[in-house]
Each structure stands twice: as C-alpha cells, then as structure tokens.
Amino acid sequence: MNVLIYLVPMALALGLTGLASFLWSLKSDQYQDMDGAALRVLDNDDVALDG
Amino acid sequence: MTETLDLSMFVRRHEGTAHMDLAVEGVGCAGCIRKIEGGLKRLPGVVEARLNFTNRRLAVDWREEELAASDVIAALKDIGYHAHPFEPERAEAEEARHMRWLVKCLAVAGFAAMNIMLLSVSVWSGNAGDMGQETRDFFHWLSALIALPAAAYAGQPFFQSALHAIRARALNMDVPISLGVITALGMSLVETASHAEHAYFDSATMLLFFLLCGRALDHAMRRKTRAVAGNLAALKAEFAHRFDGAELVRVPTVALRVGDRLLVRPGDRVPADGVVLSGISEVDESLVTGETARRAIAAGTNVHAGSVNFSGTLTMRVTAAGTGTLIDEVERLLEKAVTAKSRYVRLADRAARLYAPVVHATAAMTVVGWLAAGASVHDSIVTAIAVLIITCPCALALAIPAVQVVASGALFRAGVILNSGDAIERLSEIDTVIFDKTGTLTLPEPRVDNAASIEPGILEKAARLALSSRHPLATAVAREALERVPFDGAIEEPGEGVRAMIDGLEARLGSPAFCGADAAWDRGDGPGASMIAFSHAGRAVTLVVRQKLRPDAVETAAALRARGLNLIVLSGDRPEAVAPVAVSLGITDWRGGLNPAEKIAAIDALKAQGRRVLMVGDGLNDAPALAAAHVSLSPISAADITQAHADAVFLGERLAPVRDAIALACQARRLMQQNLWLAVIYNAVAVPVAIAGFATPLIAAAAMSGSSILVTLNALRARLSSKQQLVSDAAAVSDQFATESVS
C-alpha cells in the first residue's frame, strides 16, 4: 500500500490541473460564443487561399 | 436639408478608442463571420471587430478621429447586414457574472464529487474485502480534505439563498438543502475522527453537483431568451428626427430629452410624448388606445409616443413623460395594479414549505425513537442524520427546475419569450383568456383587405409602386409586394399619390381622384377602412386597407375554446368596430369603448368570481390590465411599457403562440407534479430504510443519483411531446425574424 503515498497526490494534482485549466478557459471567455467557435475553425483565412 | 446620424449615446470611449455594441440581423452561416469581421477591419481606423455568432452581436472598437459610428453601420449595410446599436443592459451584465459564478461552483463541485467518489468506491469495495482501518481512515481524511473546501465554495449559492430566506422568515428549498449538506459534512467529520466505517462526504458533494447542474442550465436558458429579447428590442428601436435650428439630426428615441424639437414625417411613428408646434395631420393611435379611427391634430394638440403620423409633416416639442392625460392615467393604474398584485408562491416553494417540516420532524423522531429503544446517543444521532441525507431534496429540488428548463426551451422554439420565471406555472392555471382587439387579434399594421379579389399582376405593380411612398396607406399596399423592387423615376405628389412609368404607360397610386377611379365609394364597408386607388393602362382598381385579423385567429380561438377556456374581448375601440371581429371569432362575450380603468374593473370582476385570467394585449391602454391579470402575454409589436409588464412576449404574425404557450405550460405543470410525486415515492421507500438504520453511504449515493436521473428524464418528455404538439414551429419563427427585419 506504500504506492498510495505518491499515487494519491499525483491523482489529486492531475484533477486539480484539470479544474484549473477549466477555470482558466472560463476566465478567458472561451464559452462566450460556442457556435461561433465551431464555425471559425472552418475559416480558411489563415491559409491565405484567397488573400 | 442635410441629415446626420447621431449615435453618441451608444459609443463608449476608452483610451483613445471608441467601442460600440451592435445587434446584427441576417447572420446565418460561417461565411458571415469572415465577411463582417473582414469587411470592417478593412475600414481605416477600425482596431477590432468581433462577432459573437451565438447571440448575433458585434463588438467594434475604432479610433474616432478616423471614423464615425455611423460609418460603421453604413459599412455593414454595404456588406449586406443591418446592424442596430444597443446599450447592453445592466441586468444582462449582472446575469453574465452570475452565470460565470455558477459555472465555477459547478466545476469545483464536479471535481470534488469525482475525486471523492473515486476514494469512496475504493472504501466500499475495501469494506467488503480486506482494507485495513488505517487505509480507510486515510481515504476518509482525504475525502474530507477535498469535500470541506469544495462544499464551502460550491455551496455558496444555496447557503446564501437559504440565509436570505431565513432572514425573511420564509422557507425555500435551499434551507433543507443547506441543512442536509452541512449536517452530512459535520457528521462525517466526527465519524472519521472516531475511525468509523461510514462517511457521507461523497453524498454531500454529489448533491451539490447535481443541484448546480440544474441551476446552471436554468440560468443559461434564461440568459439565452434574455439575449434574444435584447436583440429584438435593438431591432425595434426607432430613430427620431431632431431639428435644432439649422441641422436635422437622426437620433435614437432613447436619447431624446424634454424640450427637443422633432420633425415627424408622414408614415413615421411619433417618437415621444409631446405637443404639436406646427402642422396639420391625422394620427393613428391604435397602439395607444386601441382606437382604429384616426384623430385629427393641429398645433397645440398633445400626441403620444407610438401613434403613427398619417398625412402631414409635423413639428413637435418633447414634453416630460406622463404629461398627457392618458399616460397619466395609465401610469397611475399601473402602479395600483402592480402593488395590488399578491406575490405568487411558486410550486417549488410550496413543496418546500410542506417538505422541510415533515423531514425535520421525521429526523427528530428518529433520534427519540432510537433513544427510547435503548440505542446510544451517538448511534441515534448518526441514524437521524442519515435520514436527513437520504431525504435531502435532490430529486425534489431538481423536479421543478428541470421541467422549467425544458419547457422554456420549447416555448422559445414556439416563439414565446418569457419575461418572468414563474409565468409557466401561472399560465397553466388560467380558465379565462381576455384579448385586446387592435394589434392583438388583428395584425398590428393595416393590410389590403380585398387583395384576393384583385388580379395578382396588377396588385404586384401597385405594391411595387407603393414602395416609393412613405404614406401609411401606401406602406400597407407595399406589404403585398412579392418582389421588393421599386420602379425607377417614381414621383410623389404630396397629398395626392405617387406615379411612375411602367412598361411605357403611366401608373398612379393614390387618392381615387388622382387615379381617375370611381370616386363613389360607399362607406358601408365597415368602419376603420381606408381606400387607395391604383390605375395603369386605363384600368383602375380600388384597394381597401384596414386592420385584418391575424391569419390563424379563427382556428386559435376555436382551439382555445376546445380546451375549455372562456374567451372575452375587451377593446378600447368603438363597439361597432369590435362586433364584427368578435362575431367572426365566435366570441359572444365582448365589450368595446373601454378605457384602461374599465378594463381593470372587468378583470377584477372576473377575479372576484374566482376566475384566473390570461390577458393578451399590446396597446399602452392595456398595460394596467396586463399587470392586473393573473398572467399576461403581449405580441412583440406591443408598446414598450406594455411589453415590460407582460409575463411573456410572442413573436410573429400568428396567434398560435398563445395556444402553444398555454398547452406547453399545462404540460409542464403536469410534469412538475409528476416529478414531485416521484420524489415523494422515492422518499416513501428510502426513508424507512434510513430510519431503520440500514442507509449506508453506498445506498445514499445510489438512491440520490437514481432519483435525480429519473426526475430529469421525466422532464425531458416535455421536449419530446412538444415537438409533435406545436402549431407554430421553429421555421415559422425564423421566418418572422426575417420579415421583421425587412419591415
């Protein structure tokens, strides 16, 4: 059971990382325009096909 | 005379750049994003343009020395989009903040619930197997470490609301929730310290997670409808022509101040209450009083916001709101009606008032019972807390919000936007529907009544010619145009009509004399009708323009009657104008010529008989009646004050949303009651188990999730069956968005 000594903190740290990244994405307004984000990815402007 | 557009009230300045928010019409595809943002960024001076596709809003930042606000709108118009500036409401910003807070709480509760469940499952399987006491204690302490801070943070929405209710000496669902969570955590902590087998950290955090899901969804739905309502308001916002000596400036009506001099052209709506300085005209006050006959006005007459100027150009001065005798009366009545209205106690709160004392008494009796049976104080208290945890109103607290979310989504698709949260519950209780006539049973704008008897080709030519005139009668004719292209070289003769060359021959639209039509017009065709003539190539036709019934008014009235509802028409228009409408709808109970006070009196009389009244109305004169009724609806074309007092607003030309709203509300009510019964049955099974002392954390967790899922699935049935029931569907609503943007 000694394995728990590092597995448990690791599991918690991973979970907290997930929580922190979700809170970060919330803070940076990534959920403000869910439909728009889905469509913007189709935009070819950054490939400069038609300038 | 030059005309400039003044949008300064919508522009916010920050560190040398100007910012404006716009509601954009016609955004429908991925290409629109690039077209709008790209098009704007090419303008000199634009720093940033960002379109929010979800709520169809555009935020633009630009340097003011290089570009004016009106240039931004003009540029968008060139690309093919109508944009309307608007000031984001403070309520909307407040709700966005609240939503973000709820989602944060939800994330924390979700994280905690998942991690604690991981530990709990190990403990449960360990209890059956060979887990040592040290390991179990370690896992319990770990759970406590996660659960306590997480619950302290994520439980705030419930704790705050519970505190608020207790301070007001009331009970809401959050009181038993908070009590359950806090006792569960406290008891688990004590149990962990004494190396006991069972801890309920998992139940407490899972409960918070489920409830926050429900709450966040409820809030998201409300925000969505609020955003659409905000856009529609921006679309509807009107401009006034302010005349300050030399220059004519177009300003948004919200920016008007007392004392401003305004110019009101024929066909314009009077933008504010005021007094006429010069000019002679007639105004159509159907939106204000419900009266369809026009009123003659001259210098010195008071005019009300919302009336349509008919024939002559007017100049007027804006006076303080509420100076007109009518507005005064409406405001006084409104205030009285709003204060007289008793606060509606929602189903959920009524359930909480019943539920909380029963559960808490049961828990108390469990302690007493076990003590009497000779159990130790510790065991008795633990069992009592287990009762509290297992009855913790997870299913009960989700039972109503889950239905609320699904039902308001279905209403939204049917073209009904809710203003108040409890409208669904109140709507399901009604037994009488009172309609206003003008603008509610009839279309808000006059139409060509005899369109069917006119040759389509001729009607189309008349309608296209009408596009060149701003006269209200011509505007009504123009609505018949299939192809909205005006003829070239059309000339308007003031007071006469409009003429143009079509296929080499002169065509005229206007007064019968102007068109050489048979002037012998018999007025027996009913009150409120006006005539306009069209001539082309030696042929002349007369078009009858009047307020027409909404296209599905007859079917909707029949359907409402079939539901067992009493239908009544109360109108401010003359009785002889109301009678034919009531007769054609088969409504025998109607009254005309009512002022706002008489409408309220009629509603109060019905209330005294124990009736629950739905009032549907649009005019300014209906606003007090809407506030006095049990629940109220108004069409999107309604006067602003009226719309603000309606519990819900419906879109479109059809009356079907009224019927859909009632049907959906009744169905939602049924589901809410079913859900409450499901919760009661669940408790009836689970509580004896807990009282007997058999409720382990595993049973508590399974029971809680099981009942929550059951209740949520039951709520989703509203979505499934509403799809088959709805008369007005999403397509009709989106059509309406399109047509409203054209007109």
Side-chain angles (χ1 to χ4, degrees):
Chain A
M1 281 301 180
N2 287 340
V3 72
L4 287 178
I5 289 167
Y6 63 88
L7 272 186
V8 165
M10 239 169 82
L12 272 183
L14 280 173
L16 280 173
T17 317
L19 179 64
S21 46
F22 176 78
L23 291 180
W24 165 78
S25 67
L26 186 69
K27 204 181 160 79
S28 58
D29 283 347
Q30 298 196 21
Y31 301 95
Q32 291 296 306
D33 183 14
M34 309 273 266
D35 299 343
L39 295 173
R40 275 172 205 278
V41 78
L42 302 174
D43 188 0
N44 280 331
D45 255 11
D46 45 354
V47 197
L49 281 178
D50 52 359
Chain B
M1 223 179 320
T2 54
E3 185 179 303
T4 50
L5 181 63
D6 180 11
L7 292 174
S8 53
M9 72 159 300
F10 295 112
V11 179
R12 274 169 295 147
R13 287 163 191 87
H14 181 69
E15 289 176 7
T17 58
H19 177 93
M20 181 163 65
D21 289 304
L22 299 151
V24 188
E25 285 176 58
V27 177
C29 62
C32 295
I33 301 178
R34 200 189 55 182
K35 236 167 102 184
I36 291 176
E37 291 182 357
L40 283 183
K41 280 178 187 160
R42 269 198 291 278
L43 287 181
V46 170
V47 182
E48 176 66 23
R50 179 93 184 168
L51 179 75
N52 185 324
F53 192 83
T54 312
N55 55 22
R56 312 294 201 253
R57 287 179 184 176
L58 176 69
V60 195
D61 293 275
W62 72 96
R63 287 185 294 276
E64 262 191 308
E65 58 271 26
E66 293 175 55
L67 203 69
S70 48
D71 296 340
V72 174
I73 293 182
L76 282 167
K77 199 167 182 180
D78 287 344
I79 312 172
Y81 298 94
H82 284 276
H84 310 268
F86 75 101
E87 214 173 5
E89 268 182 70
R90 281 191 47 178
E92 235 175 271
E94 196 56 49
E95 284 194 341
R97 246 198 312 281
H98 189 71
M99 180 75 204
R100 184 172 289 207
W101 181 53
L102 276 181
V103 175
K104 269 189 205 163
C105 290
L106 179 67
V108 170
F111 159 80
M114 280 189 276
N115 281 281
I116 294 172
M117 201 42 87
L118 209 67
L119 297 165
S120 291
V121 171
S122 322
V123 172
W124 298 335
S125 47
N127 278 344
D130 59 350
M131 183 183 268
Q133 197 210 327
E134 291 82 18
T135 320
R136 191 177 66 207
D137 282 354
F138 173 59
F139 277 18
H140 278 167
W141 281 119
L142 257 181
S143 303
L145 181 73
I146 304 170
L148 293 177
Y153 183 81
Q156 285 177 79
F158 306 100
F159 303 155
Q160 282 178 9
S161 149
L163 263 182
H164 198 77
I166 289 170
R167 279 210 199 102
R169 300 188 180 282
L171 256 184
N172 62 10
M173 205 50 107
D174 291 329
V175 176
I177 291 172
S178 305
L179 217 66
V181 169
I182 292 170
T183 47
L185 290 174
M187 179 260 247
S188 305
L189 206 59
V190 173
E191 289 288 279
T192 304
S194 55
H195 313 289
E197 197 180 326
H198 296 317
Y200 292 91
F201 296 113
D202 44 12
S203 299
T205 47
M206 203 166 65
L207 174 73
L208 286 178
F209 178 66
F210 280 148
L211 294 180
L212 281 166
C213 281
R215 229 159 258 209
L217 283 176
D218 190 20
H219 205 76
M221 192 65 226
R222 222 171 317 154
R223 269 192 69 203
K224 189 173 153 193
T225 52
R226 181 71 60 100
V228 171
N231 284 4
L232 285 172
L235 256 61
K236 259 188 68 180
E238 283 169 7
F239 286 84
H241 297 280
R242 190 169 63 197
F243 184 65
D244 48 359
E247 206 186 13
L248 193 62
V249 187
R250 272 185 87 209
V251 290
T253 49
V254 271
L256 291 178
R257 296 283 166 267
V258 172
D260 282 353
R261 274 166 56 109
L262 307 176
L263 188 75
V264 186
R265 294 175 177 153
D268 282 352
R269 260 187 208 289
V270 175
D273 296 337
V275 56
V276 174
L277 297 176
S278 66
I280 295 172
S281 180
E282 286 184 310
V283 287
D284 173 0
E285 293 187 318
S286 60
L287 189 60
V288 184
T289 58
E291 171 73 63
T292 44
R294 296 190 285 275
R295 184 166 72 104
I297 49 165
T301 328
N302 282 326
V303 282
H304 302 300
S307 13
V308 178
N309 181 19
F310 237 73
S311 37
T313 301
L314 299 171
T315 55
M316 59 174 282
R317 194 180 62 237
V318 179
T319 51
T323 47
T325 47
L326 177 78
I327 311 274
D328 261 348
E329 196 196 349
V330 165
E331 300 231 316
R332 189 174 51 78
L333 287 170
L334 254 181
E335 206 172 308
K336 229 168 97 188
V338 170
T339 48
K341 200 165 189 171
S342 57
R343 228 182 85 79
Y344 182 77
V345 184
R346 302 187 60 168
L347 199 54
D349 290 335
R350 265 182 280 167
R353 280 178 198 180
L354 267 176
Y355 163 90
V358 170
V359 164
H360 296 155
T362 315
M365 275 163 50
T366 311
V367 179
V368 176
W370 277 103
L371 282 177
S376 71
V377 177
H378 170 263
D379 286 353
S380 313
I381 291 178
V382 167
T383 316
I385 292 176
V387 171
L388 272 187
I389 294 171
I390 210 134
T391 54
C392 212
C394 194
L396 207 52
L398 274 178
I400 286 164
V403 178
Q404 184 97 21
V405 171
V406 178
S408 50
L411 281 172
F412 183 69
R413 283 192 299 278
V416 181
I417 297 173
L418 292 176
N419 273 349
S420 66
D422 51 9
I424 293 180
E425 289 173 39
R426 283 186 281 138
L427 203 50
S428 66
E429 294 169 348
I430 55 148
D431 52 23
T432 304
V433 185
I434 298 183
F435 285 104
D436 168 46
K437 179 186 76 79
T438 319
T440 306
L441 288 174
T442 64
L443 289 168
E445 279 115 8
R447 293 294 173 94
V448 178
D449 199 24
N450 58 345
S453 62
I454 298 170
E455 204 178 301
I458 293 182
L459 185 64
E460 177 69 9
K461 277 181 200 150
R464 281 180 61 192
L465 182 58
L467 287 169
S468 304
S469 169
R470 287 184 53 82
H471 191 276
L473 287 179
T475 314
V477 176
R479 285 195 191 95
E480 302 294 328
L482 301 173
E483 201 183 344
R484 301 190 67 85
V485 187
F487 291 110
D488 291 333
I491 298 160
E492 186 158 10
E493 309 273 0
E496 300 272 346
V498 60
R499 61 187 163 84
M501 300 302 281
I502 304 174
D503 305 330
L505 293 166
E506 192 185 55
R508 289 178 166 211
L509 178 79
S511 65
F514 177 66
C515 302
D518 183 10
W521 159 252
D522 91 74
R523 285 260 162 190
D525 206 56
S530 307
M531 185 178 56
I532 186 167
F534 174 73
S535 67
H536 182 232
R539 286 183 62 187
V541 288
T542 49
L543 308 161
V544 181
V545 174
R546 65 162 56 173
Q547 300 254 339
K548 272 174 78 172
L549 277 181
R550 286 182 187 258
D552 61 343
V554 176
E555 298 107 87
T556 306
L560 289 175
R561 241 194 318 271
R563 288 191 77 91
L565 298 166
N566 275 311
L567 303 188
I568 299 174
V569 177
L570 296 180
S571 175
D573 206 355
R574 290 150 301 141
E576 59 267 31
V578 185
V581 170
V583 168
S584 62
L585 296 177
I587 298 174
T588 48
D589 197 355
W590 60 268
R591 288 165 69 186
L594 298 180
N595 64 30
E598 288 165 339
K599 284 198 182 190
I600 289 197
I603 290 178
D604 283 342
L606 287 168
K607 272 181 168 171
Q609 294 169 23
R611 306 265 203 97
R612 299 193 183 234
V613 176
L614 162 66
M615 173 80 204
V616 191
D618 76 320
L620 182 69
N621 61 333
D622 295 318
L626 289 180
H630 188 58
V631 59
S632 53
L633 275 172
S634 78
I636 188 74
S637 53
D640 290 341
I641 304 179
T642 312
Q643 232 176 79
H645 280 92
D647 292 305
V649 173
F650 65 93
L651 304 173
E653 279 198 344
R654 289 149 55 92
L655 206 56
V658 175
R659 169 190 169 182
D660 288 342
I662 297 173
L664 281 168
C666 289
Q667 192 199 11
R669 172 76 166 210
R670 256 196 323 277
L671 286 171
M672 283 177 187
Q673 279 164 344
Q674 270 175 20
N675 270 354
L676 288 177
W677 280 112
L678 280 176
V680 167
I681 293 169
Y682 153 78
N683 276 320
V685 175
V687 170
V689 175
I691 293 178
F694 295 130
T696 63
L698 174 61
I699 290 178
M704 202 179 282
S705 343
S707 62
S708 301
I709 290 169
L710 194 66
V711 163
T712 312
L713 285 180
N714 192 38
L716 284 174
R717 295 198 313 151
R719 196 184 164 88
L720 286 179
S721 50
S722 73
K723 278 189 185 148
Q724 301 149 9
Q725 272 184 12
L726 288 191
V727 185
S728 48
D729 56 7
V733 174
S734 55
D735 278 356
Q736 182 54 32
F737 275 103
T739 48
E740 245 153 40
S741 61
V742 171
S743 53

